[in-house]
Amino acid sequence: MAGNESGADMTPPSECVVAEPVIASIAAEAAQATPGVLRLASGVAGLVAQLRRETRARWSGLDPAPGTGVTVRRDEPEPGDISVRVDLVVSGDRTAVRVATAVQRAVRDAVTENTGVVMRSIEVSIVDIELS
């Protein structure tokens, strides 16, 4: 009998890693679709992360994924520990804390559903509230 006599699968284990720009893009879409969010806005850290992401994508000959206002970080030593930060502007006709909580939930659900990635933390920073 050829192969493994015990009948066990001898396929070597493999790892699938979802890239940070993919997570950022999904998180951005989920956040923007949340009622009360007017737009995503990059803080200084977000602008640096966005510039890095766009440069890396263009260097590879790809169009950068939309992720403005979203920063994704893989924490060490566990590469699966992912933290997401979303910077946004909310409408003044809604309670800011409720909008932020809804964004956290929407981002968690969308990223987990589309990638299987479970995030360690989702931080929402409200950089402005626009009154009508």
Side-chain angles (χ1 to χ4, degrees), residues 31-117:
Q32 288 174 323
T34 304
V37 173
L38 296 178
R39 66 184 171 281
L40 301 183
S42 293
V44 173
L47 288 172
V48 171
Q50 178 185 353
L51 180 60
R52 227 182 11 239
R53 194 170 42 244
E54 288 177 359
T55 301
R56 193 173 28 223
R58 287 199 173 97
W59 185 262
S60 301
L62 304 170
D63 289 330
T68 301
V70 178
T71 306
V72 177
R73 187 179 73 233
R74 281 189 201 275
D75 297 322
E76 299 296 333
E78 296 295 324
D81 284 345
I82 294 185
S83 299
V84 175
R85 177 186 168 107
V86 182
D87 297 325
L88 49 88
V89 177
V90 299
S91 172
D93 63 350
R94 302 211 181 224
T95 306
V97 173
R98 288 188 180 148
V99 173
T101 301
V103 167
Q104 285 177 315
R105 191 175 305 115
V107 167
R108 181 197 65 219
D109 293 349
V111 170
T112 301
E113 180 180 312
N114 287 289
T115 67
V117 171

